[in-house]
Amino acid sequence: MNDTIFDFLRSYVPSDKRDPKEDYLTQLFAWLLINVKGLDLKYCEYLLKKIPNSTFTVTDSDTITVETQRTLDNGKRIDLLIKVNGDHGFICEHKIYSMLSPNQIMNYSSMAPSIGKGQFHTVLITLGTYQWTQPADVRILWSSISQDFLQKELENYADDSVHYFMLNQTISYMQN
């Protein structure tokens, strides 16, 4: 049985070196990707449309896993890791008010071979473009996730009151 949203949100361990708002939003977003049917696939498709040179695609027959706070062999922690069939996927760094640490995206990218044998794209999601201080395969604003992804997907869940409610509440939270 999946964790409730409340169990999932409290699963991260706060520390004085991490912004709890970033972790909270990451946990909330990951929970949606795991629990709203088909949203993980739609999100992967959304990201892949932003990467013209990707060597992989996703289909509804793929197995997609979503993991938060994955610690790598070099001790670095990935905010959100999305794997497609265990072979390739997305290494996602989420920022709200903080900035990237030196070479953070490059460090994640260099660790991709220890995560899976295929291609892993780096994704940076931030509050503002001023935080785009390092190259990533995809750089997106949280407002785009809310408006260009979740808001557009909301209509696909109009017949599913529970998933519609969860998405709508998350959109409202992100807008606030």
Side-chain angles (χ1 to χ4, degrees):
M1 181 174 168
N2 290 338
D3 286 339
T4 69
I5 192 168
F6 305 106
D7 293 325
F8 204 80
L9 287 174
R10 70 179 175 88
S11 68
Y12 76 90
V13 178
S15 79
D16 55 354
K17 294 181 180 181
R18 294 183 6 209
D19 181 351
K21 290 182 179 108
E22 287 177 12
D23 290 332
Y24 186 84
L25 185 54
T26 296
Q27 291 298 118
L28 175 61
F29 189 59
W31 189 88
L32 284 176
L33 294 175
I34 293 167
N35 289 284
V36 174
K37 184 177 170 133
L39 194 64
D40 54 355
L41 173 65
K42 299 285 187 172
Y43 186 58
C44 289
E45 291 172 340
Y46 172 78
L47 294 175
L48 285 171
K49 285 180 187 174
K50 298 179 178 305
I51 307 169
N53 59 347
S54 180
T55 60
F56 71 92
T57 59
V58 292
T59 67
D60 57 1
S61 64
D62 288 330
T63 301
I64 300 171
T65 59
V66 177
E67 182 181 353
T68 60
Q69 302 179 39
R70 167 77 177 268
T71 302
L72 299 174
D73 294 341
N74 64 0
K76 304 294 182 186
R77 185 185 54 85
I78 297 174
D79 289 338
L80 180 69
L81 177 63
I82 301 171
K83 293 174 88 173
V84 178
N85 295 327
D87 295 329
H88 40 262
F90 306 94
I91 299 170
C92 306
E93 177 60 25
H94 297 166
K95 295 292 183 191
I96 295 181
Y97 299 116
S98 63
M99 300 298 288
L100 292 166
S101 61
N103 301 313
Q104 188 170 0
I105 302 297
M106 186 176 66
N107 287 337
Y108 291 156
S109 186
S110 69
M111 292 303 296
S114 70
I115 299 170
K117 62 183 178 181
Q119 183 177 28
F120 280 83
H121 297 293
T122 54
V123 177
L124 175 61
I125 305 175
T126 63
L127 188 63
T129 57
Y130 67 92
Q131 294 164 296
W132 294 356
T133 59
Q134 297 174 27
D137 296 320
V138 178
R139 295 189 297 190
I140 314 170
L141 296 175
W142 279 111
S143 59
S144 295
I145 295 293
S146 174
Q147 297 165 7
D148 298 338
F149 177 64
L150 293 176
Q151 188 68 46
K152 288 181 179 174
E153 286 301 320
L154 187 62
E155 65 190 49
N156 294 326
Y157 295 92
D159 294 336
D160 183 335
S161 61
V162 172
H163 289 156
Y164 184 91
F165 174 80
M166 291 187 304
L167 287 169
N168 193 42
Q169 289 294 295
T170 301
I171 293 165
S172 295
Y173 172 75
M174 291 173 84
Q175 290 171 342
N176 289 335

